Amino acid sequence: MPSPTTNIPEKTIERLSEYRRTLLSCLNQGITHIFSHVLAGMHGITAVQVRRDLMLIGFSSDTKKGYDVKTLIEFINNILDSDNIMNVAIIGMGHLGQAITNYFNGKRRKLRIVTAFDIDPTKVDSVINEIPCFHMDRFEEIVEQMDVSIVIISSPTRVAPSLVLPIINAGIKGVLNFTSAPLSFPQGIVSENYDITTILEKVAYFVKENEERENN
Amino acid sequence: MPSPTTNIPEKTIERLSEYRRTLLSCLNQGITHIFSHVLAGMHGITAVQVRRDLMLIGFSSDTKKGYDVKTLIEFINNILDSDNIMNVAIIGMGHLGQAITNYFNGKRRKLRIVTAFDIDPTKVDSVINEIPCFHMDRFEEIVEQMDVSIVIISSPTRVAPSLVLPIINAGIKGVLNFTSAPLSFPQGIVSENYDITTILEKVAYFVKENEERENN
């Protein structure tokens, strides 16, 4: 990611998702309109960036009161949400894999976790959180059978590099990798390496900054 | 976040953490120098943005071969990593809480998870993944005793709003919230609402885009 021919840049998609979360929270607080500079301020970016992102998706209904929050949310929904359901599989049904399935079940209509893989004999061929779990040896077969297009890697980090080839061979289209091993996939496979450490580091950085400011 | 008086914007900090991850991966592949536009391309942003971010942290040693990867990593380390150890507590020792502790133990020298809280009688007053787990009723007392400055919320979403007041009262400085309920804290408390759904949505979006391109 990003694919060079994608019209909307990856970072814009990420920001749209973040804007939507903020807008939903505004709506819950009864805020019906928001100015671009206010939305920008909530995300630590410039109003120009917000307006550019919204221009990229063709949203231009700015009024004297700012953007209509509800309309903008619906507009972003149309961009981000797929028309068809996509099937997702989890590789690694340890604590993280189970947390993700618990978290996801029923949350998104267009994305659903349909199966899981592990090598632990206590998990293989059992049903965990209503998700059938198979041995990794059967990965290609089950992916085809269940029409899986996206995998989430929540295996131990040391295992992650060995998953690249099976994922390519099975024709997977998108990978979300939560391990600490950054993985590379050929063009045509969307992949995201996501390291929870990054966010905790960010929070820690700003706590440190606040403390230093208070002490000066 | 961000605090208005912080010199380095939140998004820059996030990008620095992402640059560092990419640079470490480059280094592992034997790449010693990288141009700003190459680094930019890997993150779907402009070279101007990369140069601005690095200018903000005072890094200017661009050469004809591009940035020296190792020097830049060390420079980012100095910005992001704290001098002092910060103590972190987890609220909610379900699958996600346990995944995070497993994941973190020993990973960062300057950030350590020292304690956890739950209300489940099978977890309270036990040691899970080498982390002592206390009843949420004792939150303030233990936070003070263990000098905790950051909390990670991995409780069920419905519980999250009720945690805001105890967190404020205990003098916590930073909050990383993994539930789906966005939480607001007063200025002076760094908080990050992080919804795993966002990334899965992003991957799904780009898979959808790729498929549409292939079909056209």
Side-chain angles (χ1 to χ4, degrees), chain A residues 33-34 54 58-64 66-69 71-72 75:
Chain A
H33 289 76
I34 192 164
L54 298 186
F59 187 85
S60 56
S61 52
D62 199 356
T63 71
K64 279 185 189 163
Y67 301 122
D68 182 293
V69 172
T71 311
L72 182 49
F75 210 92

Side-chain angles (χ1 to χ4, degrees), chain A residues 5 10-11 14 17-18 20-21 79 95 103-104 108 180 192 195 198 200-202 208, chain B residues 10-11 14 17-18 20-21 79 95 103-104 108 180 192 195 197-198 200-202 208 213:
Chain A
T5 50
E10 181 188 351
K11 286 289 160 183
E14 223 170 86
S17 183
E18 292 171 358
R20 175 162 68 175
R21 207 165 47 203
I79 299 290
H95 286 301
Y103 188 87
F104 242 84
R108 287 289 179 279
S180 306
E192 184 79 6
D195 192 342
T198 303
L200 189 54
E201 277 179 347
K202 191 170 79 168
K208 178 189 77 167
Chain B
E10 180 188 350
K11 287 288 160 182
E14 224 170 86
S17 183
E18 291 171 358
R20 175 163 67 175
R21 207 166 46 203
I79 298 290
H95 286 300
Y103 188 88
F104 241 83
R108 288 288 179 280
S180 306
E192 183 79 6
D195 192 340
T197 321
T198 303
L200 190 54
E201 277 179 346
K202 192 171 79 168
K208 178 188 76 166
R213 215 166 20 242

Side-chain angles (χ1 to χ4, degrees), chain A:
Chain A
M1 272 208 289
S3 170
T5 50
T6 296
N7 298 322
I8 306 178
E10 181 188 351
K11 286 289 160 183
T12 297
I13 293 299
E14 223 170 86
R15 281 190 296 267
L16 288 173
S17 183
E18 292 171 358
Y19 296 157
R20 175 162 68 175
R21 207 165 47 203
T22 303
L23 292 165
L24 284 167
S25 160
C26 288
L27 204 63
N28 284 339
Q29 293 167 52
I31 298 166
T32 60
H33 289 76
I34 192 164
F35 287 109
S36 56
H37 69 266
V38 175
L39 189 56
M42 286 163 132
H43 294 93
I45 56 177
T46 65
V48 171
Q49 179 74 72
V50 169
R51 289 196 294 265
R52 193 178 294 156
D53 286 339
L54 298 186
M55 231 167 59
L56 272 172
I57 62 168
F59 187 85
S60 56
S61 52
D62 199 356
T63 71
K64 279 185 189 163
K65 291 191 287 179
Y67 301 122
D68 182 293
V69 172
K70 213 168 168 182
T71 311
L72 182 49
I73 289 170
E74 278 160 17
F75 210 92
I76 297 177
N77 285 348
N78 284 336
I79 299 290
L80 292 188
D81 298 345
S82 172
D83 287 340
N84 306 310
I85 289 172
M86 280 192 203
N87 291 333
V88 180
I90 300 225
I91 306 180
M93 273 300 256
H95 286 301
L96 186 56
Q98 292 189 50
I100 294 168
T101 52
N102 277 339
Y103 188 87
F104 242 84
N105 278 347
K107 280 271 176 64
R108 287 289 179 279
R109 281 176 313 126
K110 300 298 190 178
L111 272 175
R112 57 177 187 196
I113 297 169
V114 293
T115 186
F117 298 92
D118 210 298
I119 52 165
D120 178 345
T122 66
K123 289 171 187 159
V124 166
D125 295 327
S126 70
V127 174
I128 304 168
N129 300 344
E130 301 174 40
I131 307 289
C133 183
F134 299 97
H135 194 282
M136 194 58 204
D137 284 349
R138 296 182 62 194
F139 184 68
E140 267 189 70
E141 169 204 345
I142 304 290
V143 160
E144 196 188 341
Q145 199 176 303
M146 294 195 141
D147 191 25
V148 170
S149 50
I150 296 175
V151 294
I152 296 173
I153 305 180
S154 48
S155 69
T157 293
R158 67 179 185 285
V159 174
S162 72
L163 300 173
V164 172
L165 265 179
I167 287 171
I168 295 171
N169 290 339
I172 292 297
K173 304 290 185 196
V175 180
L176 175 47
N177 170 25
F178 279 107
T179 75
S180 306
L183 303 179
S184 294
F185 291 90
Q187 223 185 349
I189 300 179
V190 174
S191 75
E192 184 79 6
N193 293 302
Y194 184 73
D195 192 342
I196 291 179
T197 322
T198 303
I199 316 180
L200 189 54
E201 277 179 347
K202 191 170 79 168
V203 171
Y205 172 82
F206 283 101
V207 168
K208 178 189 77 167
E209 289 293 289
N210 277 348
E211 281 175 353
E212 282 169 7
R213 216 168 18 246
E214 275 165 23
N215 293 336
N216 286 339

Side-chain angles (χ1 to χ4, degrees), chain B:
Chain B
M1 271 209 288
S3 170
T5 48
T6 298
N7 298 323
I8 306 178
E10 180 188 350
K11 287 288 160 182
T12 297
I13 293 300
E14 224 170 86
R15 281 190 295 267
L16 288 173
S17 183
E18 291 171 358
Y19 297 156
R20 175 163 67 175
R21 207 166 46 203
T22 303
L23 292 165
L24 284 167
S25 160
C26 287
L27 204 63
N28 285 339
Q29 294 167 51
I31 298 166
T32 59
H33 289 77
I34 191 164
F35 287 109
S36 56
H37 68 268
V38 176
L39 189 56
M42 288 162 129
H43 294 92
I45 56 176
T46 64
V48 171
Q49 181 72 72
V50 168
R51 288 196 294 266
R52 193 178 294 156
D53 287 338
L54 298 187
M55 231 167 59
L56 272 171
I57 61 167
F59 186 84
S60 56
S61 52
D62 199 356
T63 71
K64 279 183 190 164
K65 292 191 285 178
Y67 302 122
D68 183 293
V69 172
K70 213 169 168 182
T71 311
L72 182 49
I73 290 170
E74 277 161 17
F75 211 92
I76 296 177
N77 285 348
N78 284 336
I79 298 290
L80 292 188
D81 298 345
S82 170
D83 287 341
N84 307 312
I85 289 172
M86 281 193 202
N87 291 333
V88 180
I90 300 225
I91 305 180
M93 272 301 255
H95 286 300
L96 186 57
Q98 291 189 49
I100 294 167
T101 51
N102 276 339
Y103 188 88
F104 241 83
N105 278 347
K107 281 270 176 64
R108 288 288 179 280
R109 281 177 312 126
K110 300 298 190 178
L111 272 175
R112 57 178 187 196
I113 297 170
V114 293
T115 186
F117 299 91
D118 210 299
I119 53 165
D120 177 346
T122 66
K123 288 171 186 159
V124 167
D125 295 328
S126 70
V127 174
I128 304 168
N129 300 343
E130 301 174 40
I131 307 289
C133 183
F134 298 97
H135 195 282
M136 195 58 204
D137 284 350
R138 296 182 62 194
F139 183 69
E140 267 189 70
E141 168 204 345
I142 303 289
V143 159
E144 194 186 346
Q145 199 175 303
M146 294 196 141
D147 191 24
V148 170
S149 49
I150 295 175
V151 293
I152 296 174
I153 305 180
S154 48
S155 70
T157 292
R158 67 178 185 284
V159 174
S162 71
L163 300 173
V164 172
L165 265 180
I167 287 171
I168 295 172
N169 290 339
I172 291 296
K173 304 290 185 196
V175 180
L176 176 47
N177 170 25
F178 279 106
T179 76
S180 306
L183 304 178
S184 293
F185 291 90
Q187 223 186 348
I189 300 180
V190 174
S191 75
E192 183 79 6
N193 294 301
Y194 183 72
D195 192 340
I196 291 180
T197 321
T198 303
I199 315 181
L200 190 54
E201 277 179 346
K202 192 171 79 168
V203 170
Y205 171 84
F206 283 101
V207 168
K208 178 188 76 166
E209 288 293 291
N210 277 347
E211 280 175 353
E212 282 169 6
R213 215 166 20 242
E214 275 165 24
N215 294 337
N216 287 337

